Amino acid sequence: ILLAEKALSLNAKEYYRFRTDEESWLVLSFHLTGKNDLAFQRIAEAIRLMEHPGEPIQLSRYIAQKAFLNLMNLDFEALIQNVNDFSQIKNLNTYTQTFLDYLKASIAWWSDNPEEVIRGFDPVIENQYHVEAQLGMDAYIAKALSLQELGRTEDAKQLMDQALKEVEETGIEENLALIRSGFARLALLQGDIQAAENHISTMQNPGINPFILFWIEVPAFTICRVKIALGSSSELKEALELLSDYRNKVESWNNKLRIVEIASLQAAARFKLGEKENALKDLKYAIENAAPSKLLRPFVELGRHIKELLITLKDQRIEAVFVDSIIDSISAEDPQKEVVH
């Protein structure tokens, strides 16, 4: 926060591209330190003071900042409004248009709409070299997983092979680790736990930091998914130890999106260890956070393994309508497309 404020004090207004980057770091840092209201106030003030010629670049970035905060807050109603406002801005450059496309496709991803994910991430893949690498990696992985969800196994494999080829040409290890993680996640959906284990064996666990933010692929989480799928007592306990640490961190960072993802993984691990009551507590916590936004993806990806827990929560009238929609989505899945067996 101090560094971003200092940079803004030193940069003249005409350097609006730099200033919007600094504002982004500032509002994200406000959010991550529990100052969410201040983050939105800062964006509103920046928009009010905006001057030409910075618009539409400035405006698009400020609206994107609001969208990313709302995604982490799981306020999808506000997020969709942000995306609609973003879409109304004329003369977007390729960089900002690709961020808009990423946001649209991300809504489809977290809402578990695979057909829209496949369509939505195509322009992100096409323009991946105009934006940060993580957007392109996310686009490949989310589209591949969605293809697999629809039973298009060969298409999913070909897409990930394409991603690997392009990333290998860059030689950037961080990007290679993301793609390896994506391959592991795809293997889990295909029911090939051994292949998933082989993929994660080639990478070190990077852990997490505050700026995992809203990204779709987080290797530290995928490593836990594989450990849960392997299912031995030692692997499950190791996964729970990691997830407990991660949950404490994301709660301190006020990231509800990650809270849901981690708590649902904790529930799956505890259930496999025979700790049903604790598993129900974790899943209830995740469900109550996810229900207002109808955040389906973390639960659907865990598959039929948590169906018994979901039925129990439904019987207890815990967000029964939302839980029923998850059960329906899981029941529609082929059993071989489950993460946990």
Side-chain angles (χ1 to χ4, degrees):
I1 291 172
L2 292 173
L3 290 172
E5 288 177 335
K6 183 177 180 180
L8 284 165
S9 71
L10 294 172
N11 269 326
K13 287 185 178 181
E14 57 265 29
Y15 299 118
Y16 55 87
R17 291 176 186 265
F18 293 123
R19 291 183 64 83
T20 53
D21 283 343
E22 290 148 8
E23 290 281 3
S24 294
W25 289 113
L26 183 60
V27 299
L28 282 172
S29 297
F30 280 150
H31 172 86
L32 293 167
T33 53
K35 303 178 181 72
N36 192 56
D37 289 344
L38 184 57
F40 281 102
Q41 290 169 16
R42 182 77 190 202
I43 297 169
E45 182 68 3
I47 292 174
R48 187 182 71 81
L49 297 174
M50 189 174 58
E51 297 178 2
H52 290 285
E55 199 276 332
I57 292 174
Q58 282 178 292
L59 181 59
S60 62
R61 290 190 175 192
Y62 292 144
I63 292 177
Q65 290 169 16
K66 290 197 287 186
F68 291 135
L69 293 180
N70 283 320
L71 179 52
M72 290 187 288
N73 286 332
L74 293 185
D75 188 344
F76 273 38
E77 183 177 351
L79 170 60
I80 291 169
Q81 183 59 55
N82 297 149
V83 169
N84 289 339
D85 292 342
F86 201 155
S87 300
Q88 297 303 311
I89 302 173
K90 296 180 180 180
N91 302 317
L92 293 175
N93 60 22
T94 304
Y95 179 88
T96 49
Q97 179 64 50
T98 305
F99 263 97
L100 173 59
D101 293 332
Y102 179 90
L103 279 167
K104 289 179 178 177
S106 292
I107 293 172
W109 167 261
W110 294 110
S111 304
D112 194 45
N113 184 342
E115 293 91 349
E116 191 58 39
V117 171
I118 292 167
R119 288 191 295 269
F121 275 119
D122 275 343
V124 181
I125 292 172
E126 181 180 350
N127 294 311
Q128 62 182 295
Y129 296 112
H130 293 274
V131 292
E132 285 80 353
Q134 178 90 46
L135 275 77
M137 303 302 100
D138 267 4
Y140 274 120
I141 292 166
K143 181 177 178 179
L145 296 179
S146 296
L147 287 166
Q148 180 61 40
E149 189 176 349
L150 296 177
R152 295 169 60 182
T153 301
E154 189 57 34
D155 289 340
K157 181 181 181 301
Q158 288 179 4
L159 185 67
M160 288 303 294
D161 287 341
Q162 176 188 337
L164 179 61
K165 181 180 178 181
E166 292 193 16
V167 171
E168 283 179 335
E169 290 175 357
T170 70
I172 300 173
E173 182 55 39
E174 183 179 357
N175 295 345
L176 283 167
L178 278 170
I179 293 300
R180 293 188 192 108
S181 184
F183 267 110
R185 200 165 169 183
L186 179 61
L188 289 177
L189 286 180
Q190 294 169 343
D192 192 343
I193 298 173
Q194 184 59 58
E197 184 180 21
N198 291 341
H199 285 300
I200 67 164
S201 70
T202 66
M203 49 190 276
Q204 291 184 332
N205 188 344
I208 64 172
N209 62 63
F211 297 102
I212 58 171
L213 302 174
F214 43 79
W215 302 118
I216 288 169
E217 185 54 44
V218 179
F221 295 171
T222 296
I223 288 169
C224 290
R225 293 177 190 277
V226 176
K227 289 182 180 297
I228 294 168
L230 288 168
S232 70
S233 177
S234 61
E235 295 282 7
L236 292 168
K237 289 177 180 177
E238 187 176 343
L240 282 172
E241 183 178 352
L242 291 169
L243 290 166
S244 177
D245 175 58
Y246 298 161
R247 181 160 153 184
N248 288 336
K249 288 177 178 175
V250 298
E251 286 178 342
S252 73
W253 300 330
N254 305 293
N255 194 330
K256 289 184 179 180
L257 179 68
R258 296 310 179 194
I259 288 171
V260 169
E261 198 168 11
I262 292 168
S264 59
L265 286 166
Q266 287 177 302
R270 294 193 199 283
F271 189 65
K272 291 198 81 171
L273 277 172
E275 302 175 10
K276 184 175 180 179
E277 288 307 311
N278 286 330
L280 283 169
K281 289 178 183 177
D282 285 329
L283 192 58
K284 178 176 179 287
Y285 183 71
I287 290 291
E288 288 177 338
N289 276 280
S293 62
K294 297 181 175 60
L295 187 78
L296 289 169
R297 184 69 206 187
F299 310 104
V300 174
E301 190 166 347
L302 281 170
R304 295 172 64 89
H305 179 77
I306 60 169
K307 190 173 182 180
E308 181 181 331
L309 297 175
L310 290 164
I311 291 171
T312 300
L313 291 181
K314 180 185 173 184
D315 291 342
Q316 294 174 355
R317 298 184 179 179
I318 305 297
E319 301 290 351
V321 174
F322 176 59
V323 170
D324 200 38
S325 69
I326 300 171
I327 294 169
D328 287 345
S329 295
I330 291 173
S331 297
E333 291 289 314
D334 186 299
Q336 291 187 342
K337 300 176 204 166
E338 299 167 15
V339 172
V340 180
H341 297 266

